[in-house]
Amino acid sequence: QVQLVESGGGLVQVGGSMRLSCAASGRTFSAYAMGWFRQAPGKEREFVAAISWSVGNTYYADSVKGRFTISRDNALNTAYLQMNSLKPEDTGVYYCSADIRPSSSGWRTLDDWGQGTQVTVSS
């Protein structure tokens, strides 16, 4: 049973920064791509970023490109999301995936969702 624990969320002002962490357990994660999704109030969950398991290729939603940076530490089974220049539209619950894959309809996760971590950007 895969367990995902997201942390690092909170309240930040516009233009601020925040770093999210995702600790994964239950299997070996070094062979899987990891990633982040988010869900804003009243909206569907959307893809944010992904990182491959080997060479660390990264992928971003257009809305966060240039502001967010995804990274991972395979030894710790942990993924990170560094968020800079935060905007009110970045507000939402952020969820990680320890097995994220591209598909014809966009990125999807093969994991169950964790509890997520709330990010609120105030203006």
Side-chain angles (χ1 to χ4, degrees):
Q1 181 77 14
V2 173
Q3 291 188 329
L4 303 170
V5 179
E6 300 96 338
S7 62
L11 177 65
V12 65
Q13 291 189 330
V14 169
S17 298
M18 187 173 285
R19 188 193 195 206
L20 307 182
S21 298
C22 170
S25 61
R27 67 164 184 257
T28 299
F29 293 94
S30 59
Y32 296 85
M34 299 184 74
W36 290 90
F37 294 81
R38 69 185 180 188
Q39 187 167 20
K43 295 187 177 181
E44 292 188 355
R45 202 167 315 199
E46 65 177 0
F47 166 76
V48 176
I51 184 167
S52 67
W53 70 273
S54 58
V55 296
N57 291 332
T58 56
Y59 310 87
Y60 297 95
D62 288 342
S63 58
V64 306
K65 205 171 292 184
R67 300 187 297 121
F68 290 12
T69 302
I70 187 172
S71 61
R72 64 187 293 169
D73 185 330
N74 288 340
L76 297 178
N77 287 341
T78 300
Y80 305 96
L81 187 68
Q82 177 67 43
M83 306 184 295
N84 299 327
S85 302
L86 283 161
K87 305 176 180 180
E89 51 264 43
D90 294 319
T91 294
V93 180
Y94 284 68
Y95 302 88
C96 74
S97 166
D99 187 2
I100 186 173
R101 304 187 188 189
S103 71
S104 58
S105 58
W107 291 87
R108 63 189 180 99
T109 181
L110 271 66
D111 285 324
D112 292 332
W113 296 110
Q115 86 286 351
T117 185
Q118 175 72 45
V119 172
T120 304
V121 184
S122 67
S123 54

